[in-house]
Amino acid sequence: KKFIGAEALLRWQHHEKGFISPEEFIPLAEHHGQIIDIGKFVTASIGQHLPSLLEKFGNDFLLAMNVSMKEFASETYVEQLVSTVRNFNLLPNNIELEITETSIMNENADAVQKMKSLREHGFNIALDDFGTGYSSLAYLKKFPVNKIKIDRSFVLDIVDDHDDNDMVKAIIDIANIFKLQVQAEGVETVEQLNLLKEHGAHIAQGYYFSKPLPLKEILANDWQIKKHNEK
């Protein structure tokens, strides 16, 4: 087993107010029309720093980025993203776009076309927070995604809650029907990890492996994966 990727996350350490959670400032940015500029900043940051990650972890390393509803709705989103990646001499196959169900449900036909275009350019697409929105077998058949990400709310109590355990297993079984990868978010314990592996999840993400870190710490760490019997 090995580390195969990371997710680009925004963290705000205010000089007076201290740490401000993304759950607080992202909705404000969306409300005040600043989320598209933030998205451009994240994309440019990925372009700048991805080469260092590829050098350390190999050319198959995948860096994921969240795409907001307003970003995805922009008529020029695909063109701008492709242009930015080309300007940094990067390959789209090293980038994964995490799009929530609610972002694509609102557009439907236009969303399908955009996603097809992104896939044709080589980007990976993950359906984020799966199970919390308008999950449907029809959507999985229609939208050209590579992967679904099981929301952490289902993983949190997977060991003790039979309903959550059954839900996760059902999502994985459905994903297998459509030949999609499954990535479970919010993994914090070896017990959760082992159960997800037993159910057939392909990838795990969460504090069990690492809390969010600045790039310099990611590059400095030797990243030895824990054995499953470690606590």
Side-chain angles (χ1 to χ4, degrees):
K1 305 300 179 182
K2 64 177 182 177
F3 283 97
I4 61 172
E7 182 175 349
L9 300 172
L10 281 172
R11 293 295 181 265
W12 186 3
Q13 190 68 33
H14 194 274
H15 66 285
E16 293 180 352
K17 298 182 179 180
F19 177 75
I20 301 177
S21 170
E23 295 180 358
E24 182 178 350
F25 70 78
I26 291 297
L28 287 174
E30 291 176 339
H31 178 74
H32 292 286
Q34 297 172 313
I35 195 65
I36 292 180
D37 289 335
I38 289 177
K40 290 179 180 178
F41 167 78
V42 171
T43 304
S45 296
I46 286 176
Q48 181 180 356
H49 299 302
L50 182 53
S52 299
L53 292 165
L54 294 175
E55 183 177 354
K56 180 177 179 64
F57 295 105
N59 292 330
D60 292 332
F61 190 80
L62 193 64
L63 187 57
M65 60 181 289
N66 292 285
V67 180
S68 75
M69 186 184 304
K70 289 187 177 180
E71 276 185 284
F72 192 69
S74 170
E75 293 183 0
T76 59
Y77 174 71
V78 176
E79 291 77 9
Q80 289 179 346
L81 180 62
V82 170
S83 177
T84 300
V85 170
R86 285 177 177 170
N87 288 341
F88 283 101
N89 294 316
L90 297 174
L91 295 176
N93 61 288
N94 290 119
I95 298 174
E96 181 173 85
L97 307 173
E98 296 190 356
I99 302 174
T100 62
E101 295 174 75
T102 50
S103 296
I104 53 181
M105 297 316 126
N106 291 342
E107 295 195 28
N108 211 327
D110 186 46
V112 173
Q113 187 56 47
K114 285 182 181 177
M115 295 169 77
K116 285 182 178 179
S117 179
L118 290 166
R119 285 293 303 275
E120 288 170 358
H121 280 99
F123 292 97
N124 299 280
I125 302 178
L127 192 57
D128 199 14
D129 298 340
F130 189 82
T132 62
Y134 306 98
S135 305
S136 165
L137 295 181
Y139 297 147
L140 290 181
K141 182 179 180 180
K142 180 186 299 184
F143 293 115
V145 300
N146 306 79
K147 176 194 295 182
I148 60 174
K149 296 187 68 176
I150 301 175
D151 188 72
R152 67 182 305 275
S153 62
F154 297 115
V155 176
L156 182 63
D157 296 319
I158 187 176
V159 176
D160 302 313
D161 189 308
H162 292 299
D163 289 339
D164 282 349
N165 182 46
D166 291 344
M167 176 71 77
V168 169
K169 186 178 185 305
I171 291 173
I172 294 172
D173 289 343
I174 290 170
N176 286 332
I177 294 174
F178 291 96
K179 296 180 174 58
L180 298 173
Q181 277 194 319
V182 179
Q183 182 166 330
E185 297 181 295
V187 178
E188 298 185 2
T189 69
V190 68
E191 290 81 12
Q192 293 170 338
L193 181 63
N194 286 337
L195 194 52
L196 287 163
K197 182 181 178 183
E198 180 182 322
H199 289 333
H202 304 100
I203 304 169
Q205 170 186 349
Y207 283 12
Y208 176 74
F209 304 103
S210 174
K211 293 183 178 181
L213 296 173
L215 178 66
K216 63 180 181 180
E217 292 187 35
I218 294 176
L219 296 176
N221 199 308
D222 61 4
W223 295 109
Q224 296 297 316
I225 289 203
K226 302 175 184 178
K227 295 179 181 179
H228 283 194
N229 60 359
E230 290 183 7
K231 301 296 183 182

